[in-house]
Amino acid sequence: MVTRSGAPKAAVLTLVAALALSACSTHPGAAAVVGSESITEKQLDDVALALCSAQSGAAQAGQTQDLAGRAARQGALGVLLNSDLSKQYGASRGVQAPDAQVSAAIAANQSTISALPPSRRSAFRQTLRDFAQGQLMLIAIGRQELAKSGTARPTDQQAIAAATTLRNAWVKKNLTVSVDPRYGRFAKGILVPQSGSLSVPVSARASAGARQNPSTSWVSALPASQKCS
């Protein structure tokens, strides 16, 4: 069971925090392919815009800074990949996320959802739902495994850590995961962000922008269409 107070709200905080992480696809139209499932470019765009809106709301409260659009898309793809991997692994173990707890996670973050532009609420709500389902599956699996080793009352974080290790080993053995190189590469169970370009930066400014986390001044100088907004 998820802790009564912190876990549901922590889910949305993790989604927003993912934005701070900072060509040709082998699968046209897909940002990533996980086994037989695809994360489409449209899905990625919708989620990145929704997460941008959530991040922008936090920025107005002085909690975060503007991010380049590339970082927003990379962060969104990282969240989508994590959720997909956890859900597929949970299904392979015959584990289901309790509907009541998933609903509680969404309800606990309704104020964040309501603050988004209406056109972006659906994508954010679905992303939160998928993320919560994946985390709840990992918690259930992790607790089962830790109980076998004598840990009677593991925390949610301990359970997730234990299950994530098992998940990544299962993914390596059972799934083929490919990522459009514009967004990074998949390694050891996570998305490793890259510059977002297949070209080699030449100028000093291009080199600065190729960094995983460009400076605030570099991001601020970008046109609005290339920033999280």
Side-chain angles (χ1 to χ4, degrees):
M1 181 179 293
V2 178
T3 53
R4 292 187 178 87
S5 60
K9 290 185 178 180
V12 72
L13 293 177
T14 304
L15 288 176
V16 176
L19 291 170
L21 299 175
S22 179
C24 295
S25 174
T26 55
H27 304 270
V33 176
V34 184
S36 61
E37 299 183 8
S38 295
I39 298 173
T40 67
E41 292 283 355
K42 184 181 184 306
Q43 181 183 7
L44 177 60
D45 286 342
D46 289 345
V47 173
L49 286 171
L51 293 178
C52 268
S53 293
Q55 187 265 351
S56 295
Q60 291 177 7
Q63 298 175 12
T64 56
Q65 64 178 12
D66 285 341
L67 296 175
R70 180 183 73 243
R73 290 165 67 83
Q74 289 173 333
L77 185 56
V79 170
L80 291 169
L81 278 172
N82 183 60
S83 298
D84 203 348
L85 292 171
S86 295
K87 290 176 66 177
Q88 289 197 46
Y89 175 55
S92 77
R93 294 282 300 260
V95 174
Q96 292 184 334
D99 289 338
Q101 293 186 43
V102 174
S103 296
I106 296 172
N109 294 289
Q110 188 56 50
S111 60
T112 300
I113 296 172
S114 298
L116 298 175
S119 62
R120 297 180 183 177
R121 292 173 189 168
S122 178
F124 188 89
R125 185 182 291 107
Q126 185 60 52
T127 303
L128 177 57
R129 180 183 297 279
D130 290 339
F131 184 82
Q133 288 175 335
Q135 293 294 285
L136 287 165
M137 287 176 167
L138 291 183
I139 289 171
I141 294 169
R143 285 181 172 169
Q144 291 173 6
E145 296 299 323
L146 289 172
K148 295 177 183 178
S149 63
T151 304
R153 297 175 63 86
T155 65
D156 291 347
Q157 290 72 25
Q158 289 174 322
I160 289 173
T164 298
T165 298
L166 294 172
R167 182 200 72 180
N168 292 347
W170 177 85
V171 169
K172 184 176 181 180
K173 182 177 180 180
N174 295 280
L175 292 183
T176 297
V177 181
S178 59
V179 174
D180 188 315
R182 289 177 296 171
Y183 306 122
R185 59 188 177 85
F186 182 78
K188 298 182 179 179
I190 62 172
L191 176 69
V192 181
Q194 297 183 156
S195 69
S197 173
L198 297 182
S199 62
V200 177
V202 177
S203 68
R205 178 165 176 75
S207 297
R211 296 171 184 164
Q212 181 172 328
N213 294 301
S215 67
T216 300
S217 59
W218 189 91
V219 173
S220 297
L222 289 172
S225 62
Q226 296 180 30
K227 292 193 291 184
C228 206
S229 60

